[in-house]
Amino acid sequence: MEMRRHGRSWKTTERWLLQGYWLLSGYGLRASRALGWLALAMMTTILLMMGFGLPQSSPKQEATGTVPPGGGKVIFEIDRGEPKNPARDRFTTKRFDKALTVTLNSVVFRSSGQDLTTAGGYIEMASRFSEPVLLGLAALAIRGRVKR
């Protein structure tokens, strides 16, 4: 793998792919490297969620409607406001707990079910792609060690 990574006959794309594979998991031989990257990615996701991804408060549902004077059918319209970032106090224990829940759910491809800001939605999508890849690289490295 080292010879292939340093060789000149490979295309740039393949060279970058091998470089990334070496950097993230040591060619699938170092589980600690992949788990270290996973921990770093999770901490980054938690910090980004606390800073930009979680709304100030969950948007409340508002029901408005009219009741006819003689009784009859009532029609309600339920509306939710847009989630907004807090002006201050972004790094609190309550927000840390929510961010941790979102991050742990993203490692196993699950949606957190939390109301997120637009930035939070994108942060969750990125973590739902990258963190399971790192977990998979660690699992492959552990499998290779156990199989020997």
Side-chain angles (χ1 to χ4, degrees):
M1 288 296 228
E2 281 292 308
M3 299 293 283
R4 288 176 66 192
R5 186 168 63 96
H6 291 296
R8 297 278 181 220
S9 64
W10 290 88
K11 295 180 183 175
T12 307
T13 311
E14 293 172 274
R15 183 169 295 153
W16 280 105
L17 185 63
L18 278 173
Q19 186 74 24
Y21 188 40
W22 170 79
L23 183 68
L24 293 176
S25 69
Y27 303 121
L29 298 174
R30 295 185 176 95
S32 61
R33 190 181 291 184
L35 290 173
W37 280 108
L38 176 63
L40 181 69
M42 289 175 68
M43 291 305 297
T44 303
T45 302
I46 288 171
L47 288 174
L48 288 173
M49 279 293 181
M50 287 175 68
F52 307 107
L54 297 174
Q56 183 173 359
S57 61
S58 295
K60 304 286 188 246
Q61 290 184 349
E62 294 180 4
T64 58
T66 57
V67 179
K73 189 175 182 181
V74 177
I75 299 173
F76 286 105
E77 207 173 289
I78 298 178
D79 190 22
R80 291 178 74 150
E82 283 292 316
K84 295 182 176 118
N85 274 328
R88 52 184 156 70
D89 294 334
R90 290 180 185 238
F91 298 98
T92 62
T93 55
K94 183 178 177 185
R95 290 176 62 81
F96 175 78
D97 183 43
K98 280 187 177 182
L100 183 63
T101 302
V102 170
T103 304
L104 290 177
N105 282 330
S106 70
V107 172
V108 290
F109 288 117
R110 292 182 48 207
S111 179
S112 63
Q114 296 280 336
D115 290 320
L116 302 173
T117 61
T118 304
Y122 288 119
I123 293 166
E124 184 184 31
M125 282 188 272
S127 69
R128 284 178 68 186
F129 172 76
S130 62
E131 291 167 2
V133 169
L134 293 169
L135 186 64
L137 287 173
L140 286 174
I142 291 170
R143 180 184 171 268
R145 289 283 173 137
V146 171
K147 197 173 178 182
R148 287 185 196 173

